[in-house]
Amino acid sequence: MVNKIREVTGTIGGEIMTNQSKKFTKIEAEQLNIVDKEGKVKLSLFNEDNIPPALMDGMDILPGHRQDDPLSGLMFFNAEGDECGGLIYGNEKNDDGSYQSFASLTFDQYKQDQVVQMRYVDDSGKRSYGFGLFDRPNQNLRKVIERENEIKNSNLTDEEKASAINQLYEGNVERAFMGKSPNGDVSVSLMDNKGNKRIRMVVDENDVPKIEFLDEEGNVTYKLPPE
């Protein structure tokens, strides 16, 4: 396949390109950044040795995050240079033959974490995969993380720190999930604004369908078919 790259300004292999097109039969790179006309990165393709930092407001908000993970992928950046989602994937194989494999495609709320995710996890044949929707608070994630670090470094007791951090992250909940669990169930779960499962529709590993309605404590209040 012949690839065609057109850009106003940029570099490939040290060669400066300006207002021209060039054709290539093959390009090999450890990282490839797509930038706007001002040089701001809009999209980054990377291998496991060139994982981009988690940028927000021009800062790495999670220093070291993902840097030692066996993943490659593609990262999205918005007009302000914030990471706003992406595709990551990878795997590890152990000496005993066991393995872990994963993939995730996410889209982030503005100045926050993911609100849409398609994910796959495989732990030596125990597989789960599906599609999730999340609620995020109207708070700048960079400021939330800075406050969390302040709490961790404070003179509060461990119990007080845990309580304060939990309050800090209130509103971060998964609201819906559709997918398959390691035990073979295919399900749709709908959660309330606290993250509690309230409706669960399942076709289990024996192809038996059921629908359950739950209270805030997770107790089944009604089900179809009834027992």
Side-chain angles (χ1 to χ4, degrees):
M1 181 173 118
V2 175
N3 297 307
K4 185 175 182 180
I5 295 181
R6 180 185 295 274
E7 55 186 336
V8 176
T9 60
T11 62
I12 292 183
E15 178 184 358
I16 298 177
M17 300 172 58
T18 305
N19 295 322
Q20 61 180 311
S21 297
K22 288 197 174 185
K23 293 183 179 180
F24 303 88
T25 57
K26 185 177 181 180
I27 295 176
E28 293 187 0
E30 294 188 353
Q31 184 174 9
L32 177 64
N33 292 335
I34 304 300
V35 302
D36 63 16
K37 62 183 179 181
E38 297 177 351
K40 185 178 295 182
V41 177
K42 306 293 291 184
L43 181 149
S44 181
L45 289 163
F46 57 90
N47 66 9
E48 62 184 37
D49 295 318
N50 292 276
I51 301 169
L55 295 177
M56 186 171 292
D57 299 331
M59 300 173 58
D60 182 355
I61 62 174
L62 293 169
H65 180 56
R66 298 185 297 234
Q67 297 304 306
D68 296 324
D69 294 340
L71 60 86
S72 301
L74 178 154
M75 205 64 66
F76 310 137
F77 298 89
N78 66 16
E80 298 173 36
D82 298 341
E83 179 191 319
C84 58
L87 167 68
I88 57 174
Y89 57 90
N91 74 286
E92 286 186 295
K93 191 169 184 180
N94 305 313
D95 293 338
D96 61 3
S98 61
Y99 66 90
Q100 294 79 40
S101 181
F102 64 91
S104 172
L105 173 64
T106 60
F107 301 95
D108 296 351
Q109 179 176 307
Y110 179 69
K111 300 292 183 182
Q112 256 296 337
D113 209 341
Q114 66 205 31
V115 289
V116 178
Q117 182 184 34
M118 186 181 300
R119 58 188 186 260
Y120 156 76
V121 178
D122 187 344
D123 186 0
S124 300
K126 297 179 180 179
R127 303 180 186 92
S128 62
Y129 40 88
F131 182 84
L133 303 177
F134 300 80
D135 275 354
R136 302 297 180 189
N138 292 320
Q139 296 176 303
N140 184 301
L141 183 58
R142 175 184 62 80
K143 295 180 180 179
V144 171
I145 293 173
E146 287 178 352
R147 179 55 185 153
E148 178 185 4
N149 290 332
E150 290 175 0
I151 293 170
K152 288 179 177 178
N153 294 322
S154 71
N155 294 323
L156 296 173
T157 66
D158 290 344
E159 185 176 345
E160 290 171 333
K161 289 179 181 179
S163 177
I165 291 173
N166 285 337
Q167 291 179 21
L168 192 62
Y169 283 94
E170 283 183 354
N172 288 275
V173 295
E174 188 170 23
R175 295 300 303 273
F177 178 76
M178 177 181 69
K180 189 172 183 179
S181 67
N183 66 7
D185 292 349
V186 176
S187 65
V188 175
S189 296
L190 304 180
M191 285 68 97
D192 61 23
N193 61 16
K194 296 180 181 178
N196 302 310
K197 286 186 181 180
R198 303 305 295 270
I199 299 176
R200 184 168 55 210
M201 296 179 285
V202 181
V203 176
D204 68 20
E205 59 183 326
N206 298 314
D207 292 333
V208 177
K210 61 182 178 180
I211 301 176
E212 298 177 333
F213 295 81
L214 304 93
D215 62 20
E216 291 184 359
E217 304 300 323
N219 302 308
V220 177
T221 59
Y222 181 74
K223 65 166 46 179
L224 292 172
E227 291 182 344

